[in-house]
């Protein structure tokens, strides 16, 4: 049987997408039971690896010209697992578990808003062929990154159970609502066309690198995600 290179190329971006799913499942497994501080941190790292694969799969598809509707739908399902379900379970184990059923419901709100966000994105993308420089609502990978970076900073600096979970609950619900809001967030996919956003992004990244070197890398990551969230608002 003759090897078809073109058909094989269609599999490549989907391999990166399924790798993101693996990272999400690994994160869920790490926080099953009664996770230690180290296991919570490992679960957070797994979600960030999932974000890396999520960024790569689309670029690989465009580079190899293998974009497909199947890939779009698979990517959304992967995002719901890795950036919806996994961060919600991490948040539950970290701060919401003492609330029992109420904590489960709060975690559910985050996942439900993430699912709505992804469904809305797919519908809007299918009706518009032009690439918009803005996302409508906070993208679920960035919502997950904001949440996970906060957990990582806490695990690295405090290493104790979260005491003020009321403040975290408010923050957690705000992230969920931002995903289904109409607030516009820059996607940074057309930086080559505009110099000002590119300069702002470069200055921001340079400042964060210096902050990470001087203080703590996890603190710099938290500042990066919080800056993006506040920029849209």
């Amino acid at each position: 049987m003759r090897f078809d290179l073109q058909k094989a190329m269609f599999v490549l971006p989907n391999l990166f997408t399924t790798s993101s799913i693996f990272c999400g499942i690994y994160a869920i497994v790490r926080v099953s039971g009664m996770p230690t501080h180290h296991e919570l941190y490992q679960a957070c790292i797994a979600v960030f690896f999932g974000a890396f694969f999520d960024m790569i799969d689309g670029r690989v598809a465009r580079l190899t010209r293998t974009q497909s509707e199947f890939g779009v739908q698979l990517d959304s399902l992967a995002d719901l697992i890795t950036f919806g379900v996994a961060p919600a379970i991490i948040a539950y184990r970290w701060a919401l578990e003492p609330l029992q059923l109420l904590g489960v419901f709060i975690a559910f709100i985050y996942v439900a808003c993430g699912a709505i966000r992804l469904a809305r994105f797919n519908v809007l993308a299918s009706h518009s062929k032009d690439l918009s420089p803005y996302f409508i609502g906070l993208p679920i990978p960035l919502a997950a990154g904001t949440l996970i970076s906060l957990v990582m900073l806490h695990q690295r600096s405090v290493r104790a159970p979260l005491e003020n979970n009321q403040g975290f609950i408010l923050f957690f619900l705000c992230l969920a609502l931002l995903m289904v809001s109409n607030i516009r967030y820059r996607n940074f996919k057309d930086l080559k066309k505009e110099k000002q956003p590119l300069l702002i992004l470069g200055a921001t990244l340079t400042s964060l690198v210096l902050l990470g070197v001087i203080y703590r890398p996890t603190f710099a990551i938290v500042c990066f995600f919080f800056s993006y969230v506040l920029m849209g608002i």
Side-chain angles (χ1 to χ4, degrees):
M1 184 173 62
R2 186 171 62 86
F3 178 74
D4 193 331
L5 179 61
Q6 185 63 25
K7 290 183 178 180
M9 293 296 285
F10 273 93
V11 179
L12 186 59
N14 295 328
L15 287 177
F16 285 98
T17 305
T18 52
S19 297
S20 177
I21 298 176
F22 172 80
C23 293
I25 295 299
Y26 179 81
I28 293 171
V29 171
R30 294 307 296 169
V31 295
S32 300
M34 298 297 293
T36 63
H37 294 295
H38 182 62
E39 288 172 330
L40 272 171
Y41 191 83
Q42 285 182 328
C44 294
I45 292 295
V47 173
F48 272 116
F49 270 103
F52 169 76
F53 289 120
D54 180 63
M55 289 188 298
I56 293 297
D57 61 359
R59 286 164 174 78
V60 170
R62 288 189 292 271
L63 183 65
T64 57
R65 297 181 181 179
T66 54
Q67 301 101 314
S68 65
E69 185 63 26
F70 174 82
V72 171
Q73 300 304 325
L74 180 62
D75 185 72
S76 291
L77 293 172
D79 286 355
L80 185 59
I81 295 171
T82 307
F83 308 123
V85 178
I89 294 178
I90 292 173
Y92 176 80
R93 289 300 187 190
W94 179 56
L96 303 176
E97 192 167 11
L99 301 177
Q100 299 180 350
L101 185 58
L102 178 60
V104 175
F105 183 72
I106 293 171
F108 157 75
I109 291 176
Y110 174 85
V111 178
C113 288
I116 294 171
R117 167 68 176 81
L118 290 166
R120 182 176 66 175
F121 175 82
N122 287 347
V123 171
L124 292 175
S126 65
H127 286 80
S128 177
K129 300 301 181 182
D130 297 329
L131 180 64
S132 172
Y134 294 97
F135 295 116
I136 305 299
L138 181 65
I140 189 172
L142 290 158
T146 306
L147 170 65
I148 293 304
S149 63
L150 188 63
V151 178
M152 291 175 63
L153 177 63
H154 183 269
Q155 297 306 305
R156 278 296 187 223
S157 57
V158 180
R159 293 179 177 270
L162 185 66
E163 296 180 358
N164 183 21
N165 62 353
Q166 291 86 0
F168 173 73
I169 291 170
L170 180 61
F171 165 75
F172 193 50
L173 292 175
C174 284
L175 284 179
L177 294 177
L178 284 173
M179 285 192 288
V180 295
S181 71
N182 289 324
I183 296 175
R184 299 195 307 168
Y185 283 91
R186 188 77 189 214
N187 61 20
F188 296 110
K189 291 182 179 180
D190 59 345
L191 289 180
K192 294 181 180 180
K193 299 179 182 179
E194 302 180 28
K195 293 182 179 180
Q196 185 176 358
L198 182 61
L199 292 175
I200 294 174
L201 180 62
T204 302
L205 292 177
T206 302
S207 301
L208 292 173
V209 169
L210 292 175
L211 187 63
V213 171
I214 295 172
Y215 182 63
R216 193 184 291 271
T218 49
F219 181 71
I221 295 173
V222 168
C223 290
F224 169 76
F225 282 104
F226 271 75
S227 298
Y228 185 83
V229 172
L230 293 175
M231 181 178 64
I233 297 174

